[in-house]
Amino acid sequence: MEKTYLRSFALLGFCGAAVDFMVCGSMQPVFPRDRILHIFISVAAAFAVVYIIQNIDFSKGVIKQLTALAITARILTMTYSFTQYFHLFHGSNTLAILLCAVGAALLVYNMEQGRTLQLYSFFMAVNVVFVLLILLLCAGKLKVSNIYANDVSFSFSVSELFLFADLLTLAALIPKGKGRIYAQNRYIAFSALFILCTTLLQGLCVRGDLLYSISPLQSLFQIYSGNTIKRFDYFMAIIQTINYFGAVILYVLAMQKLFKPQRGCCCEKG
């Protein structure tokens, strides 16, 4: 049972990482090899952070208040980035997304954390479908020659590193011990594997510097929109909106854990 909780929290963290990866961009083209090497550096840094903070109790004193502020900032910045992306690429009013996010947050805040186990299967199914659809739609566009037409140079840039922002959220939600490390490591692994695979698909499907100033997910969705399935990228955005809600749920659970410890999760220190 404990590991099921931990995996569910790691999956909700992945939801946030998938949204972050969707909305990331750059003023300059970022090619596959460049991005892949940066994600390896990001993963190494993330694992280091996991072990640095493994024995910190985030539920007491000043650390608790600072953690709550950090999670609040994370919610606000992620919401701003996602709504800006949605409005830019789809020209849609984002008020409905914001209202639904607030409604979901209020619902989850008044829910016992034990019931969040029911959410695990839903978000898992959504993301499995998400990955399968990406692979299916890429199948007809894969060309090995494309990968050789891309720039293979590497130039390190801090701005190109991927921030695994929900390591702190998971640390606030899960008591210090092996359980926290288990969930954080899986959050990193799930997210990094998704980013690496998507980046490789982008390199095989998109030639040269076309659309490389936006994230691999964005560029793949742009080529999908030219398929006979009209505006398939919009359907994918709906899936990412579900992931956004998954991330919101994680942040609400973390705040609940900080300020309502008597209703905390069953993941005891271990």
Side-chain angles (χ1 to χ4, degrees), residues 26-253:
S26 174
M27 295 301 293
Q28 300 296 327
V30 182
F31 294 92
R33 179 181 174 181
D34 207 23
R35 193 182 298 277
I36 288 172
L37 290 175
H38 275 90
I39 192 61
F40 277 120
I41 297 172
S42 301
V43 167
F47 280 129
V49 170
V50 168
Y51 287 96
I52 289 172
I53 67 174
Q54 63 177 315
N55 292 317
I56 298 177
D57 187 346
F58 289 88
S59 63
K60 295 181 180 178
V62 177
I63 295 180
K64 172 182 175 179
Q65 305 303 323
L66 292 175
T67 301
L69 286 174
I71 294 174
T72 301
R74 165 71 172 150
I75 296 171
L76 294 177
T77 55
M78 182 180 185
T79 297
Y80 175 78
S81 297
F82 181 66
T83 53
Q84 285 292 104
Y85 153 79
F86 204 92
H87 182 71
L88 176 65
F89 281 89
H90 303 290
S92 302
N93 190 313
T94 56
L95 180 61
I97 295 175
L98 296 175
L99 291 176
C100 288
V102 171
L106 292 174
L107 179 64
V108 173
Y109 192 76
N110 290 295
M111 181 189 300
E112 291 289 344
Q113 285 192 8
R115 296 183 62 187
T116 61
L117 283 175
Q118 300 170 8
L119 301 174
Y120 176 76
S121 298
F122 172 72
F123 285 105
M124 175 61 77
V126 166
N127 281 289
V128 167
V129 170
F130 185 36
V131 172
L132 290 177
L133 285 174
I134 291 174
L135 293 174
L136 178 64
L137 289 174
C138 282
K141 297 181 178 293
L142 297 175
K143 292 182 180 179
V144 176
S145 60
N146 286 340
I147 204 77
Y148 296 106
N150 298 319
D151 191 337
V152 295
S153 63
F154 175 69
S155 177
F156 176 76
S157 172
V158 173
S159 64
E160 300 304 332
L161 295 176
F162 185 81
L163 179 63
F164 291 91
D166 290 321
L167 288 176
L168 178 62
T169 311
L170 292 171
L173 183 58
I174 304 169
K176 60 183 180 181
K178 293 180 180 179
R180 177 190 289 179
I181 296 174
Y182 177 91
Q184 290 174 325
N185 286 349
R186 274 150 186 77
Y187 156 62
I188 296 170
F190 294 159
S191 304
L193 183 61
F194 178 72
I195 294 171
L196 289 171
C197 290
T198 307
T199 300
L200 181 59
L201 286 173
Q202 181 199 33
L204 292 169
C205 291
V206 183
R207 184 181 180 86
D209 63 356
L210 178 64
L211 298 176
Y212 274 101
S213 60
I214 57 180
S215 78
L217 276 177
Q218 289 174 6
S219 66
L220 288 176
F221 293 162
Q222 294 305 306
I223 65 172
Y224 294 159
S225 65
N227 288 350
T228 54
I229 305 175
K230 298 298 183 181
R231 302 296 295 171
F232 196 86
D233 55 330
Y234 189 82
F235 177 71
M236 287 295 207
I238 293 175
I239 295 180
Q240 283 295 68
T241 303
I242 294 173
N243 277 338
Y244 165 73
F245 290 145
V248 169
I249 290 171
L250 180 70
Y251 307 140
V252 173
L253 292 176

